[in-house]
Amino acid sequence: MASTLRLSDSFIILLLFSLWVVEAHTSRKLISIKEQHGQDINHFLKDGDFDDPSLYVYFRLNDLKLGTKLRIYFYKNDLQKLPPLLTRQQADRIPFTKSKLDFLLDHFSISKDSPQGKAVKATLGHCDAKEIEGEHKFCGTSLESMVDLVKKTLGSNVDLKVMTTKIMAPTRDPISYGLYNYTFVEAPKELVGIKMLGCHRMPYPYAVYYCHGHKGGSRLFEVNMVTDDGKQRVVGPAICHMDTSMWDVDHVAFKVLKMEPRSGPVCHFFPLDNIVWVTK
């Protein structure tokens, strides 16, 4: 179902590079889809809904069943607009901490008050933040460093798999990215007895992945969904965070799901450029 590959160390970096090229996608760029590539989403929205389609990745645990229909946003950016991948040697020459923010903004010629400057500050703050109780987290500034940190966290001698979200067109029609209704055409399959880390691309002048996982309390699923017209299929991972009691009360997921903050599980799909590491 999901894109799941068993990895040997000799192919990990090549695999990740190919995933970055093929599924390049900026998931945290909060720009209206109507401005980005002209899709009219008004017919999807009801009073009180959010007009930022990138927020439509969250859902509830009880939605994970055959036949459930959800509005979900998947978008793939132009490769030419993506920040570059750096090698470990290149990345290690550049400081990566909020305490060096002024230096970094000057180094990359970014204005402090610009949207890009605010994004750099937010990413550094996110990566510098201390782990919450029961959490593993780190930021990888190169593919090599991300792989090393994943192995350090999950185990150096474990059998690793990587999962990503894939959009496929069963017919010869081109894939259309955006906000669409998707229906579960198979009962989601839970992966039990595993350790996992989810790695999310962050807004930054070069490719940075924020990876995190919980020592307990999260459930990972493989999902298989199709659009209303049956022309597109999505397979990939989805996760449910069962304990949100330590989350920020202003977390956007609580607003999207219209639920009391910290009151129950929050589930989400993974954008196309995210990577989920799994091991038993």
Side-chain angles (χ1 to χ4, degrees), residues 237-253:
I239 192 169
C240 291
H241 301 288
M242 304 305 293
D243 182 4
T244 59
S245 61
M246 300 293 291
W247 286 27
D248 188 326
V249 295
D250 293 322
H251 196 292
V252 68

Side-chain angles (χ1 to χ4, degrees), residues 252-272:
V252 68
F254 299 135
K255 297 180 174 64
V256 172
L257 297 176
K258 298 179 174 62
M259 61 185 286
E260 188 72 21
R262 302 176 174 176
S263 63
V266 168
C267 306
H268 65 82
F269 300 102
F270 288 88
L272 301 181

Side-chain angles (χ1 to χ4, degrees), residues 117-137:
K118 293 176 181 178
V120 168
K121 180 180 179 180
T123 292
L124 292 171
H126 207 63
C127 291
D128 279 353
K130 293 181 179 179
E131 296 178 347
I132 64 175
E133 185 178 352
E135 181 188 39
H136 298 293
K137 67 178 283 288

Side-chain angles (χ1 to χ4, degrees), residues 37-174:
H37 57 112
Q39 184 193 19
D40 182 6
I41 65 170
N42 291 327
H43 64 290
F44 282 107
L45 304 179
K46 302 176 183 177
D47 290 342
D49 283 349
F50 293 87
D51 61 4
D52 179 0
S54 67
L55 299 178
Y56 289 92
V57 294
Y58 299 103
F59 62 96
R60 295 175 182 267
L61 180 63
N62 59 12
D63 292 326
L64 278 169
K65 54 189 176 184
L66 179 65
T68 297
K69 179 184 292 189
L70 298 170
R71 282 175 295 174
I72 314 170
Y73 175 74
F74 295 108
Y75 181 67
K76 184 174 182 178
N77 255 345
D78 185 343
L79 276 173
Q80 295 180 350
K81 298 179 181 179
L82 290 174
L85 281 169
L86 300 188
T87 65
R88 188 208 303 270
Q89 186 178 24
Q90 291 171 322
D92 286 350
R93 294 195 189 111
I94 307 171
F96 187 78
T97 175
K98 193 174 179 180
S99 65
K100 297 291 186 179
L101 177 62
D102 290 341
F103 167 82
L104 289 165
L105 293 176
D106 181 66
H107 178 78
F108 292 112
S109 300
I110 297 174
S111 169
K112 191 171 187 176
D113 295 324
S114 67
Q116 294 86 356
K118 293 176 181 178
V120 168
K121 180 180 179 180
T123 292
L124 292 171
H126 207 63
C127 291
D128 279 353
K130 293 181 179 179
E131 296 178 347
I132 64 175
E133 185 178 352
E135 181 188 39
H136 298 293
K137 67 178 283 288
F138 58 83
C139 284
T141 56
S142 67
L143 294 184
E144 298 100 318
S145 67
M146 178 172 62
V147 170
D148 284 351
L149 290 166
V150 166
K151 294 171 72 174
K152 181 179 179 181
T153 303
L154 297 181
S156 58
N157 296 316
V158 295
D159 185 16
L160 287 173
K161 300 178 183 179
V162 67
M163 301 176 67
T164 61
T165 301
K166 299 289 185 184
I167 299 183
M168 300 173 291
T171 66
R172 294 185 178 181
D173 294 330

Side-chain angles (χ1 to χ4, degrees), residues 5 13 15 45 69 91 97 111 121 156 170 172 174 180 189 200 204-205 219 236:
L5 300 174
I13 301 300
L15 171 65
L45 304 179
K69 179 184 292 189
T97 175
S111 169
K121 180 180 179 180
S156 58
R172 294 185 178 181
Y180 295 102
K189 176 185 176 183
H200 313 278
Y204 206 69
R219 299 168 63 183

